């Protein structure tokens, strides 16, 4: 069935790189997303990657997609305390035009000063 | 742009009471989503509207839940009667007709506690 899996917790020191991993199940997903949720707030879209891409870079964020292994990762360079939040991976099974987004359980990133 | 607006931000009620959550999508967006977030089940899609019409309500847990979208700028999610297991954060999200990456935009959520 449809499932997106993430590890629950990640702790890094300020200034280090963070890598958050995600595995998904639907190879027909057109887009894969990373969202950030800060305490008491909604989900904020960080970035997304089209399924025919291997990598996307956006300032401190690098997304890597391995379609063969259905593995998605988000790398945050020079992690800051403001990056502490829950990060959700999501996919769109069913391809383009879908309204269904399957979200992972979220990875809670804690940045230590 | 003000983003997606939800009200109330927090709601505490007693079991059996009616609860109404409100959402104002981003102007010009034609798709609207209601989600529920809990620790146990994560983020679940409750209902999806397109052009104010409910397209998929298969995620609505029970008949106690109902949602309406009377116009393009307003939607409600009603729980009647409410139960303690309905305690969760309820998010509304909207998406424009032509959305690069088919991205949706989330509101800040309504934190509901049913005692």
């Amino acid at each position: 069935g449809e499932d997106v899996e993430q590890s629950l917790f990640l702790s890094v020191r300020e200034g280090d790189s963070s890598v958050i991993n995600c595995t998904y199940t639907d190879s027909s997903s057109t887009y894969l997303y990373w969202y950030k949720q800060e305490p008491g707030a909604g989900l904020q879209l960080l970035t997304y990657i089209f399924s025919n891409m291997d990598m996307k870079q956006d300032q401190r964020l690098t997304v890597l997609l391995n379609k063969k292994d259905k593995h998605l990762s988000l790398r945050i360079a020079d992690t800051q305390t403001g990056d502490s939040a829950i990060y959700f991976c999501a996919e769109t099974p069913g391809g383009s035009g879908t309204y269904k987004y399957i979200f992972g359980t979220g990875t809670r990133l804690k940045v230590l000063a | 742009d003000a983003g997606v607006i939800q009200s109330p931000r927090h709601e505490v009620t007693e079991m059996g009471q009616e609860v109404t959550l409100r959402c104002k999508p981003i102007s010009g967006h034609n798709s609207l989503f209601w989600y529920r977030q809990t620790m146990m089940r994560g983020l679940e899609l409750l209902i999806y509207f397109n052009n104010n019409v409910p397209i998929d309500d298969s995620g609505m847990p029970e008949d106690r839940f109902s949602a309406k979208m009377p116009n393009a700028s307003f939607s409600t999610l009603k729980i009647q009667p409410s139960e303690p297991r309905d305690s969760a954060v309820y998010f509304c999200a909207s998406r424009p007709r032509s959305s690069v990456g088919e991205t949706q935009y989330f509101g800040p959520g309504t934190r509901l506690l049913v005692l």
Side-chain angles (χ1 to χ4, degrees):
Chain A
E2 302 161 345
D3 202 7
V4 177
E5 295 189 355
Q6 302 177 236
S7 53
L8 290 180
F9 299 101
L10 176 65
S11 180
V12 299
R13 295 207 172 274
E14 190 174 20
D16 289 349
S17 293
S18 307
V19 179
I20 303 171
N21 295 300
C22 166
T23 56
Y24 62 97
T25 55
D26 197 314
S27 58
S28 69
S29 288
T30 305
Y31 297 101
L32 295 128
Y33 307 85
W34 284 104
Y35 284 86
K36 176 184 181 183
Q37 184 179 30
E38 298 187 40
L43 277 70
Q44 172 197 357
L45 178 69
L46 282 179
T47 187
Y48 66 91
I49 187 167
F50 192 49
S51 58
N52 68 352
M53 298 170 64
D54 297 324
M55 184 182 85
K56 181 178 180 182
Q57 187 151 5
D58 184 359
Q59 299 183 335
R60 293 191 297 122
L61 305 178
T62 303
V63 179
L64 295 178
L65 175 60
N66 181 326
K67 286 192 71 174
K68 174 176 171 288
D69 296 335
K70 297 191 183 71
H71 183 265
L72 184 73
S73 68
L74 174 70
R75 179 177 181 270
I76 305 173
D78 186 25
T79 312
Q80 303 298 307
T81 54
D83 295 323
S84 293
I86 302 175
Y87 291 80
F88 291 91
C89 166
E91 64 168 335
T92 52
S96 180
T98 186
Y99 58 87
K100 290 193 176 182
Y101 301 76
I102 306 300
F103 289 83
T105 52
T107 299
R108 186 179 295 272
L109 173 65
K110 184 173 182 179
V111 182
L112 306 172
Chain B
D1 197 325
V4 176
I5 298 172
Q6 290 188 247
S7 64
R9 294 292 311 276
H10 302 271
E11 177 81 29
V12 180
T13 191
E14 291 187 342
M15 183 173 64
Q17 296 298 306
E18 177 179 294
V19 175
T20 299
L21 311 181
R22 297 173 177 79
C23 173
K24 178 177 168 53
I26 294 173
S27 177
H29 287 196
N30 72 323
S31 290
L32 186 137
F33 308 77
W34 281 101
Y35 289 92
R36 178 171 66 176
Q37 185 181 40
T38 61
M39 290 292 291
M40 292 299 296
R41 300 173 68 91
L43 203 62
E44 304 172 279
L45 176 66
L46 299 177
I47 187 167
Y48 162 66
F49 290 90
N50 185 254
N51 294 323
N52 313 339
V53 176
I55 303 299
D56 185 348
D57 65 355
S58 60
M60 297 284 264
E62 303 171 28
D63 291 344
R64 298 184 297 106
F65 285 69
S66 63
K68 294 182 180 178
M69 192 164 186
N71 57 61
S73 59
F74 184 65
S75 177
T76 59
L77 177 68
K78 186 177 291 187
I79 308 172
Q80 166 63 20
S82 58
E83 296 182 4
R85 61 193 167 124
D86 302 330
S87 297
V89 183
Y90 291 82
F91 289 106
C92 176
S94 68
R95 186 178 76 182
R97 187 182 308 277
S98 298
S99 173
V100 176
E102 302 190 74
T103 55
Q104 50 184 325
Y105 299 83
F106 282 79
T110 295
R111 278 148 187 81
L112 173 64
L113 177 61
V114 183
L115 301 173

